[in-house]
């Protein structure tokens, strides 16, 4: 009985990982967006100061990833919305509102923005390859 050579090689395994990452990048970004939306909704409640610093940091990182993707796609509306949100939440030069009631609508609008982006990614990912994306 002859022993068959294995089809797995280093070259094949490397290309498989790249294809896997490429095929699932939208899923990862969708999860990041939904995580940021959830964190922003939790920020409405009274939380320790460390939570709000972590919130600024994680929202800014997620926004940076989304901006890189949107620059490549040239979707100006999403790009403008996320740049504006990133300016509000950046941890380097923080924006301070001394009345905490001013942050509540910002948290809600930002959470809605992230949830809407996650929904948009779902719509694009489930669109057939030959379909037009003009309505998105």
């Amino acid at each position: 009985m002859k022993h068959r050579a294995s089809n797995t090689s280093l070259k094949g395994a490397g290309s498989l990982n790249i294809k896997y990452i490429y095929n699932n990048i939208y899923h990862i970004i969708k999860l990041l967006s939904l995580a940021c939306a959830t964190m922003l909704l939790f920020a409405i409640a009274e939380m320790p100061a460390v939570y709000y610093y972590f919130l600024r940091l994680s929202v800014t990182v997620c926004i940076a990833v989304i901006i890189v993707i949107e620059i490549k796609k040239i979707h100006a509306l999403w790009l403008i919305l996320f740049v504006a949100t990133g300016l509000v939440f950046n941890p380097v030069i923080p924006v301070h509102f001394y009345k905490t009631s001013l942050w509540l609508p910002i948290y809600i609008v930002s959470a809605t923005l992230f949830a809407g982006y996650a929904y948009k990614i779902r719509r694009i990912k489930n669109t057939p390859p030959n379909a037009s994306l003009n309505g998105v």
Side-chain angles (χ1 to χ4, degrees):
M1 187 179 244
K2 290 184 178 181
H3 180 60
R4 290 180 141 180
S6 176
N7 288 336
T8 60
S9 66
L10 291 177
K11 182 179 177 184
S15 64
L16 178 65
N17 289 339
I18 292 171
K19 286 180 183 178
Y20 178 78
I21 291 170
Y22 182 77
N23 288 334
N24 291 313
I25 191 77
Y26 291 112
H27 182 68
I28 293 167
I29 295 195
K30 177 182 169 183
L31 290 176
L32 279 174
S33 296
L34 291 175
C36 283
T38 305
M39 288 175 58
L40 285 161
L41 290 177
F42 278 128
I44 294 172
E46 191 70 28
M47 299 297 241
V50 172
Y51 179 81
Y52 293 105
Y53 182 75
F54 180 72
L55 176 73
R56 282 180 182 267
L57 189 63
S58 52
V59 166
T60 303
V61 168
C62 186
I63 286 175
V65 170
I66 290 172
I67 286 173
V68 167
I69 288 172
E70 291 304 320
I71 285 175
K72 290 182 179 182
K73 291 186 195 174
I74 311 172
H75 287 139
L77 178 63
W78 289 105
L79 186 63
I80 291 168
L81 290 173
F82 278 111
V83 166
T85 306
L87 290 174
V88 172
F89 282 99
N90 78 72
V92 178
I93 306 171
V95 175
H96 294 289
F97 294 126
Y98 295 105
K99 288 186 175 182
T100 56
S101 62
L102 294 175
W103 278 106
L104 295 178
I106 293 173
Y107 293 144
I108 293 170
V109 168
S110 299
T112 305
L113 177 68
F114 279 107
Y117 189 76
Y119 178 75
K120 176 210 146 216
I121 285 179
R122 184 182 62 84
R123 283 183 50 203
I124 289 176
K125 184 179 177 187
N126 291 338
T127 304
N130 296 332
S132 172
L133 296 176
N134 293 335
V136 177

